[in-house]
Amino acid sequence: MLNITNKTADAVRALRHVAKGMATAAPRIGDTKVAMSLLEKNAFINYQRIEDNLVIVRERLNRPLTLSEKILYGHLDDAANQDIVRGTSYLKLRPDRVACQDATAQMALLQFMSAGMDTAAVPTTVHCDHLIEAQVGGVKDLARAISINKEVYDFLATATAKYGLGFWKPGSGIIHQIILENYAFPGGLMIGTDSHTPNAGGLGMIACGVGGADAVDVMAGIPWELKCPKVIGVNLTGKIGGWTTPKDVILKVAGILTVKGGTGAIVEYTGSGVESLSCTGMATICNMGAEIGATTSLFPFNERMAEYLKATKRPEIAAYAQQFAHNLKADKGAEYDQVIEINLSELEPHINGPFTPDLATPISKLAAEAKKNNWPDEIKVGLIGSCTNSSYEDMSRSAALFKEAKDAGLELKSKFTVTPGSEQVRATIARDGQIEAFENAGGVVLANACGPCIGQWDRQDVKKGEANTIVTSYNRNFTGRNDANPATHAFVASPDIVTALAFAGSLSFNPLTDTLPTPSGKPFKFSPPSGFALPPSGYDPGEDTFQAPPQDRASVQVKVDPKSDRLQLLKPFAPWDGKDPKDLPVLIKVAGKCTTDHISAGGPWLKYRGHLENISQNCLIGAINSENGEANKVQNQLDGTWGGVPQVAAAYRAAGIKWVVIGDHNYGEGSSREHAALEPRFLGGAAIIVRSFARIHETNLKKQGMLALTFANPEDYDKLKGTDKVDIIGVETFAPGKNLTLVAKHADGSVDEIPLAHSFNEGQIEWFKAGSALNLMAAKAKAAGSA
């Protein structure tokens, strides 16, 4: 509850009106109680909090508000006293819910267990989608995953039961699709331990990817802290149609903003063109907003959202949102920090890549670009689905192209896989014939899981190191991400374009203009794809894969085998020793792009996400050492030998020596995985010093007690060498807004003094001093218990 000050009370009383001389309370939106989910009957949508907070915020700011500001400020912990300046203030927020996928949930739950709580403070769910490897097909792959990952699934099932969380079993589907189908609602605020959590923006929800430590804070009833985002407006005009899809909107935006252009901002879509997008299409756009570094993305509430809520058996939420619609859209005259204009009627289908999701190429120019850049023209595999594009609409449009091609006598020229987003989507497209259309033409339907999108792909058709091309409808295409082959050229496009290219088998084919030969000799040209935004016969829920927490949780025992190589209870990190760090060797000076995939690889390493010691053996093994241009080869400054990054880091730790990493721009972009922050901390790191950070990773480092620092002058990155030792001066007087000094001692005896900036506030400095945010939380809980 808010502490109502006199000023606050006056503002709230302004909502009252007087009739016939008697004070009469006006109808309140909170008088209506609507459950957040059909699966959580006692957790209600809190539009009243937003309404009350906005009365206060409007009086304070006295200006029109964007939609994202309405929702964010409507969830402030203390609207009367919160400092609110875009790009500067740290907001303390009260999210409505938390969502965790299984790979990150392991560490989040292990941390929550250390916090001394017995029940999550907000509705929380765990989703089993990351640990299922694609091999031969959905049924067999799922059975294999359940067998291989039994101890992890048992841990998650028992931990969720113990602490009152919802549990979605393996085979349920991908977390973001499940959230859209069951939990997302207009005007809500959610955090999730996966970078593509913003998918829920397709239902008008602010949904942000975070690390597990942030999730633990919210689960423990502590406000979530977020640097007040700037707001980028994308004004959509015209009408989408033909070969152009919602995916092409975000592919275009990615080309404009690049992978770091959205950092520190929420991307808010507006304009008349929004009405031509389906709800799941809007979710696709918001989902891939993670690729431009955005805090999140969202759309205003509209009739397409209402239709989707009704189709997913939530008409009460649709009606409630319609009552609250004035606060589910931007105010007239709201100002944005940047505005991008896109005419959907003129937007051409795009294909982005390879190796980065912001290299955007219109389909009409792809053949020329492929030839100019020597990209392998033959497409080995086409892959559709994933959390970004696995809706009924996506599947039905792709299946229509399959049927048309098959009827003309065409065969796939590339291998082709389909990943349904959820059990509900899988069951529905099986009933409606789409799966049959895929399989009849040679497509393989995989399990309802992330699969190849996150590297869970046992690919056998090419050897590692063999240059080849794949096209996907996924969201991310960093080097080696899908198949662990650094020579694979991965391109991202809509499911429609991926499907057409798979029948052509060539990057040089443009389905909008080109034809393919058929057995009859008659040239074949694809028709513009068509499908259904929602299934005409309604959704088939398929198999029930949800486990609700039991009524009696006291007797539940959380399963963790002390001898397990996959699960390990956590030990607290040591607190700061009170001294300026000195004589720290540079473990590695990273050259160029360094994503969380480079820092903590996925694929086969996913199985160790619950075992910090074991997964730390992948720390920075993908990062390129500026000293030699190689990955996972650094020099040990103690003895001059060369070794793998985690091995050298462990050698320093064993000798009682802390170390630092030097990085380039947008360090830690990509996945939200907090293991990329936990591992350096576990191996004895003191600081990560870079030109700039990706938002989530910077916060994750702070949460684990690491010094996340940036060069005050980005060009000073060039002064550091991998053979340097450094001092960090000023930590003893660490304060918000006060620069530190890096003293770089080079091997030749010369010294550089370099100013370091940081974004720590007072609370985050306390995390550092305590050794981690979790340490501070546990200490406060202990103090409260003994008071």
Side-chain angles (χ1 to χ4, degrees), residues 377-407:
D377 184 70
E378 180 190 2
I379 298 170
K380 292 288 189 181
V381 190
L383 308 98
I384 68 167
S386 85
C387 64
T388 318
N389 280 108
S390 56
S391 66
Y392 185 85
E393 180 178 36
D394 293 325
M395 298 291 115
S396 64
R397 287 170 65 97
S398 181
L401 294 173
F402 258 79
K403 290 176 183 175
E404 185 180 40
K406 185 68 174 176
D407 289 346

Side-chain angles (χ1 to χ4, degrees), residues 228-383:
C228 189
K230 295 182 178 181
V231 189
I232 297 173
V234 179
N235 187 48
L236 303 179
T237 55
K239 185 176 182 180
I240 209 157
W243 281 93
T244 303
T245 71
K247 182 63 164 277
D248 298 302
V249 175
I250 186 57
L251 294 176
K252 176 70 172 179
V253 170
I256 295 170
L257 288 177
T258 78
V259 292
K260 59 183 180 180
T263 302
I266 291 178
V267 179
E268 190 173 306
Y269 291 84
T270 64
S272 58
V274 169
E275 297 302 322
S276 67
L277 306 175
S278 66
C279 177
T280 53
M282 290 185 275
T284 290
I285 293 170
C286 293
N287 176 295
M288 201 174 157
E291 273 35 84
I292 56 175
T295 301
T296 194
S297 304
L298 82 160
F299 282 81
F301 176 69
N302 59 25
E303 189 57 33
R304 307 305 289 275
M305 294 182 190
E307 291 168 357
Y308 184 79
L309 286 166
K310 293 170 186 175
T312 51
K313 297 181 171 56
R314 294 174 286 172
E316 295 84 1
I317 295 179
Y320 200 37
Q322 285 165 336
Q323 291 180 46
F324 198 58
H326 61 286
N327 276 327
L328 299 176
K329 61 183 179 181
D331 289 339
K332 186 176 181 179
E335 293 187 2
Y336 296 87
D337 296 282
Q338 179 181 353
V339 176
I340 296 169
E341 299 282 348
I342 296 178
N343 185 335
L344 298 178
S345 299
E346 298 174 356
L347 180 62
E348 185 178 347
H350 278 61
I351 184 164
N352 287 24
F355 306 123
T356 185
D358 59 352
L359 180 57
T361 305
I363 190 69
S364 62
K365 298 180 180 178
L366 181 61
E369 286 296 307
K371 185 175 182 180
K372 182 177 76 174
N373 292 286
N374 200 31
W375 297 333
D377 184 70
E378 180 190 2
I379 298 170
K380 292 288 189 181
V381 190
L383 308 98

Side-chain angles (χ1 to χ4, degrees), residues 103 130-131 451 453-457 479-484 595-609 615 618 621-622 671 673 675 679:
H130 270 56
L131 301 178
C453 183
I454 60 163
Q456 284 285 47
W457 184 16
T479 302
R481 175 169 175 91
N482 302 124
D483 62 0
T595 72
T596 50
D597 281 304
H598 293 90
I599 305 168
S600 176
W605 291 95
L606 287 174
K607 64 183 179 182
Y608 296 126
R609 285 284 178 86
I615 199 168
N618 76 0
I621 62 175
S671 170
R673 66 191 66 159
H675 297 77
E679 293 172 30

Side-chain angles (χ1 to χ4, degrees), residues 63-69 73 83-89 91 227-232 264 268 334-338:
R63 62 171 173 78
L65 301 176
T66 68
L67 170 60
S68 55
E69 288 183 305
Y73 306 161
D83 184 46
I84 304 173
V85 180
R86 283 188 199 169
T88 301
S89 304
L91 306 179
K227 192 170 188 179
C228 189
K230 295 182 178 181
V231 189
I232 297 173
E268 190 173 306
E335 293 187 2
Y336 296 87
D337 296 282
Q338 179 181 353

Side-chain angles (χ1 to χ4, degrees), residues 88-165:
T88 301
S89 304
Y90 280 88
L91 306 179
K92 290 189 180 295
L93 302 161
R94 291 287 183 179
D96 296 297
R97 65 180 313 110
V98 173
C100 307
Q101 41 94 335
D102 50 356
T104 50
Q106 296 169 64
M107 195 58 66
L109 290 175
L110 287 165
Q111 291 179 86
F112 184 73
M113 290 166 62
S114 302
M117 304 282 293
D118 60 3
T119 304
V122 300
T124 302
T125 52
V126 171
H127 305 257
C128 294
D129 62 359
H130 270 56
L131 301 178
I132 302 168
E133 185 179 50
Q135 281 191 331
V136 295
V139 175
K140 290 183 178 179
D141 291 347
L142 177 60
R144 178 173 175 270
I146 291 173
S147 174
I148 291 173
N149 301 309
K150 184 178 186 304
E151 68 170 314
V152 171
Y153 293 146
D154 285 348
F155 165 69
L156 295 175
T158 54
T160 52
K162 182 71 173 179
Y163 296 107
L165 320 181

Side-chain angles (χ1 to χ4, degrees), residues 511-723:
L512 283 70
T513 57
D514 299 345
T515 61
L516 294 171
T518 65
S520 68
K522 182 180 178 182
F524 169 81
K525 186 173 184 291
F526 280 106
S527 302
S530 61
F532 298 94
L534 297 167
S537 300
Y539 284 106
D540 182 336
E543 182 182 346
D544 183 6
T545 53
F546 176 69
Q547 172 189 291
Q551 290 295 317
D552 178 16
R553 296 187 278 115
S555 60
V556 177
Q557 297 295 315
V558 179
K559 294 184 179 180
V560 179
D561 183 348
K563 299 178 181 178
S564 172
D565 68 349
R566 297 194 62 178
L567 296 165
Q568 181 185 52
L569 296 177
L570 296 176
K571 295 179 181 178
F573 293 130
W576 175 52
D577 63 7
K579 301 175 183 178
D580 284 345
K582 294 186 176 180
D583 288 323
L584 311 182
V586 173
L587 174 66
I588 181 173
K589 180 184 177 183
V590 179
K593 185 187 285 285
C594 190
T595 72
T596 50
D597 281 304
H598 293 90
I599 305 168
S600 176
W605 291 95
L606 287 174
K607 64 183 179 182
Y608 296 126
R609 285 284 178 86
H611 198 294
L612 182 54
E613 184 174 359
N614 285 348
I615 199 168
S616 292
Q617 298 309 302
N618 76 0
C619 184
L620 285 158
I621 62 175
I624 301 301
N625 184 359
S626 65
E627 295 297 306
N628 55 16
E630 297 183 45
N632 202 28
K633 188 175 181 180
V634 296
Q635 189 170 30
N636 184 332
Q637 294 191 36
L638 296 178
D639 59 17
T641 61
W642 292 79
V645 179
Q647 287 72 40
V648 173
Y652 291 150
R653 181 186 61 183
I657 298 171
K658 296 184 183 299
W659 45 263
V660 302
V661 168
I662 306 299
D664 212 318
H665 281 298
N666 209 27
Y667 184 91
E669 70 174 279
S671 170
S672 68
R673 66 191 66 159
E674 67 176 325
H675 297 77
L678 277 161
E679 293 172 30
R681 182 74 166 101
F682 177 78
L683 289 171
I688 309 294
I689 305 165
V690 302
R691 293 196 212 240
S692 64
F693 283 106
R695 174 188 64 86
I696 299 175
H697 186 61
E698 182 180 22
T699 300
N700 287 350
L701 288 167
K702 293 177 181 179
K703 288 269 183 177
Q704 301 309 332
M706 294 282 286
L707 288 169
L709 309 172
T710 57
F711 294 106
N713 304 305
E715 61 271 17
D716 284 341
Y717 164 90
D718 296 321
K719 295 179 180 178
L720 273 294
K721 298 183 183 301
T723 53

